[in-house]
Amino acid sequence: MELCKFHTVAFVVILFCFPIAYGWGTDGHFIICRLAQPRLTKAAANAVSQLLPAYAQNDLGSVCSWADRVRFRYHWSAPLHFIDTPDNLCTYQYKRDCKDGDGIQDRCVAGAINNYTTQLLSYGKASSASQYNLTEALLFLSHFIGDIHQPLHVGFTSDRGANTIDIRWYNTKGVLHHVWDTNIIETAEKRFYDSDVEELIDALQKNITTVWSAQAKAWEACNKIACPDLYASEGIKAACDWAYKGVDENSVLEDDYFLSRRPVVNLRLAQGGVRLAATLNRIFG
C-alpha cells in the first residue's frame, strides 16, 4: 500500500516545524492522547513507552499533534487526515469515500488508521526494524484516531469539510471547520475551566468513569483491531445533525450554538480517547 512508503526525515528537526492545526486543534489532540494513556494495559503502556521519542518523556499527549506539523515535509500525508463524503447524503462508505483528490483508494483517515495499525502489529518482530518506522506509526495512528472523531473531518466534499463556510464566532471571523477544531474547546476552557486544559481533561476523565462508564465499554468494542469505519459513520452523522445544522454562509455563531454543540465535542473527545487506548491495547496485547 502506498501509505507505507515515505522518505526518512530527521525526526527531531520535523518536530520543531512551525505548527498549523488541521485536525482537532492542539488542545483537542492533547486531550485525546491524555485520556488514552492511563487506560493502556501494562503491555501496551510498555510498548508505547519504548516507541515514544525520548523528548516526549513518556507523554503521548505531548506529540499527539506531530502529524499536523509534518505535513510541511510529508506532503503525501495531507489527504490522510480526513474523508470527503457526498454532499447532504450524511452517510459514509469506505469504498466510495476513502480516496484522495486523485481518486487513489485507501488514502483517507480511515485507510490511514488501518495502515498504521497494520504497521504497529509488527512491533517486536525482527522484520519491523527495517521495514517500518514504528515511532512514526504510533504518532500517526494516535493523531488519526483523534481526527476521525472530529465530525467535520468526515464532512461534505464541496465545502472541504466546512473549510469554505465563512462564519463569525461571536465577534471573530473564521470558518465553520475551525469552530469544531478549536473554538468550541477553547471557549469551554475559558468559560468553565479557567483556561486550563488539564481541568477539562480531569472533567472528561471523571465522566468516562462515572456517567459514561457503561457507554465507554461499548465505545471500546471492535470486532477487528481497529474500527475506523464505525467512527467515520458516527462522524458524518454528527456533522449533519450538529455541525452543519442551522449554519449558513456568514452565520453568527454564539451561545445557542456553543452550548448545544459543546456536549457533542466533549463526547467525541471522550470517545476518541477511549478508542485510542482500546486500539493500542489490542495491537500490543
Side-chain angles (χ1 to χ4, degrees), residues 12-112:
V12 176
V13 173
I14 291 172
L15 177 72
F16 293 103
C17 287
F18 184 79
I20 290 181
Y22 292 95
W24 293 107
T26 302
D27 280 4
H29 283 291
F30 181 75
I31 289 165
I32 287 171
C33 283
R34 275 293 186 87
L35 292 174
Q37 197 162 4
R39 301 180 66 87
L40 297 178
T41 62
K42 184 176 180 180
N46 287 339
V48 168
S49 180
Q50 289 295 315
L51 290 174
L52 282 174
Y55 54 76
Q57 299 183 324
N58 200 33
D59 180 5
L60 183 60
S62 70
V63 287
C64 212
S65 291
W66 173 85
D68 280 337
R69 293 192 284 269
V70 298
R71 286 169 66 147
F72 284 106
R73 299 292 184 91
Y74 291 172
H75 297 292
W76 52 265
S77 71
L80 307 185
H81 292 253
F82 60 89
I83 300 166
D84 286 334
T85 69
D87 291 5
N88 301 307
L89 282 187
C90 298
T91 63
Y92 158 79
Q93 296 175 17
Y94 185 93
K95 188 174 181 180
R96 180 191 69 195
D97 302 329
C98 191
K99 57 185 183 296
D100 65 14
D102 296 322
I104 300 174
Q105 199 70 29
D106 302 320
R107 287 182 49 77
C108 78
V109 66

Side-chain angles (χ1 to χ4, degrees), residues 253-273:
L253 306 181
E254 298 182 302
D255 276 0
D256 286 349
Y257 192 91
F258 166 62
L259 294 172
S260 59
R261 274 61 174 181
R262 177 178 165 240
V264 181
V265 169
N266 285 345
L267 182 69
R268 294 304 279 171
L269 291 170
Q271 288 176 325

Side-chain angles (χ1 to χ4, degrees), residues 2-3 6 9-10 34 43-44 49 69 96 111 113 119 128 133 176 182 184 199 203-204 214 226 228 230 242 268-269:
E2 287 298 317
L3 297 184
F6 49 77
V9 181
R34 275 293 186 87
S49 180
R69 293 192 284 269
R96 180 191 69 195
I113 289 170
Q119 290 192 26
S128 66
N133 183 328
L176 182 60
T182 300
I184 294 174
E199 289 191 14
L204 292 173
L230 169 63
W242 296 103
R268 294 304 279 171
L269 291 170

Side-chain angles (χ1 to χ4, degrees), residues 20 67 74 89 109 136 138 144 159 173 211 219 229 235 255 263 274-275:
I20 290 181
Y74 291 172
L89 282 187
V109 66
E136 292 193 352
L138 172 64
F144 291 145
D159 58 41
K173 290 182 179 180
V211 295
W219 298 340
D229 291 342
D255 276 0
V274 168
R275 286 162 167 172

Side-chain angles (χ1 to χ4, degrees), residues 235-253:
I236 185 58
K237 186 176 188 305
C240 289
D241 290 350
W242 296 103
Y244 285 113
K245 190 172 183 179
V247 180
D248 299 310
E249 184 74 9
N250 297 316
S251 286
V252 178
L253 306 181

